[in-house]
Amino acid sequence: MDTILLVKKAKQGDKDALVQLIMLKKQDYYKLAYVYMKNPEDTLDVMQNMIVILYENIGQLKDNSKFYSWSKTILVNCCKNYLRKNKKLISLEYVKEQCYEENFQQKDEEVMIEECLSQLKEKHREVIKLRYFLDLDYKTISNILKIPVGTVKSRIHIGLEKLKEIFGGEEL
């Protein structure tokens, strides 16, 4: 079914239409939230929060064609709010489970990448994750974060330069 038609139905209070809209992009939502949350439970929690906010506020969406960028912006804000409120504590059960499921080399690489990314400012780390972990284009990142495309490009460039310094190399 056409996305715009589903948005119109959702705005009229059709819950099934809203669920269909979300289900069409559930993988995209999950990947986006996981980049911020880094564990499945918190990812699903923020997605649940996003759905409630979408349901309560879909009437405020002015341009039906922008449903997905609007909803992803809400999801990013839900992630940031959740992280801010819950000063992340990582469950030992989760860490233990992850160690057994994945090989150590891959885990070492992930830890090294996270460690290097953690040395960047939040605004640089955020755009790099959205661009290179989720393969989002500049325009989409711009829409999600509500910043100009030029700012997105600038932040990515600065972030990559900082990563180059951190790695101590000439090329990434």
Side-chain angles (χ1 to χ4, degrees), residues 29-31 33-48 79 82 88 90-91 93-95 97-98 101-102 107:
Y29 289 125
Y30 187 84
K31 288 177 186 174
Y34 194 85
V35 164
Y36 286 91
M37 306 313 293
K38 298 182 181 81
N39 77 58
E41 292 82 18
D42 291 346
T43 299
L44 293 175
D45 283 348
V46 295
M47 286 178 65
Q48 185 177 359
C79 292
Y82 188 93
K88 293 307 299 158
I90 298 174
S91 164
E93 290 176 22
Y94 173 74
V95 172
E97 183 178 303
Q98 287 292 311
E101 292 178 1
E102 299 176 4
K107 199 66 185 167

Side-chain angles (χ1 to χ4, degrees), residues 9 16 26 39 42 71 81 98-99 105-106 113 135 150:
K9 286 183 172 185
D16 292 335
K26 66 182 178 187
N39 77 58
D42 291 346
S71 60
N81 289 338
Q98 287 292 311
C99 288
Q105 184 178 3
Q106 181 183 358
I113 290 170
D135 202 27

Side-chain angles (χ1 to χ4, degrees), residues 77-137:
N77 289 335
C78 286
C79 292
K80 289 178 179 178
N81 289 338
Y82 188 93
L83 291 170
R84 201 172 311 131
K85 287 179 185 171
N86 296 309
K87 294 287 180 192
K88 293 307 299 158
L89 291 176
I90 298 174
S91 164
L92 288 177
E93 290 176 22
Y94 173 74
V95 172
K96 193 175 183 179
E97 183 178 303
Q98 287 292 311
C99 288
Y100 289 126
E101 292 178 1
E102 299 176 4
N103 69 39
F104 290 112
Q105 184 178 3
Q106 181 183 358
K107 199 66 185 167
D108 283 347
E109 290 172 0
E110 288 176 16
V111 168
M112 187 180 82
I113 290 170
E114 281 297 324
E115 189 175 304
C116 290
L117 284 172
S118 71
Q119 295 178 39
L120 299 177
K121 290 181 179 175
E122 174 60 31
K123 62 184 182 182
H124 298 131
R125 181 175 46 245
E126 181 175 46
V127 292
I128 286 174
K129 284 183 174 180
L130 293 173
R131 177 74 179 123
Y132 297 108
F133 289 21
L134 297 179
D135 202 27
L136 298 177
D137 60 48

Side-chain angles (χ1 to χ4, degrees), residues 67-78:
F67 173 79
Y68 285 114
S69 66
W70 176 71
S71 60
K72 287 178 181 176
T73 300
I74 289 171
L75 181 58
V76 167
N77 289 335
C78 286

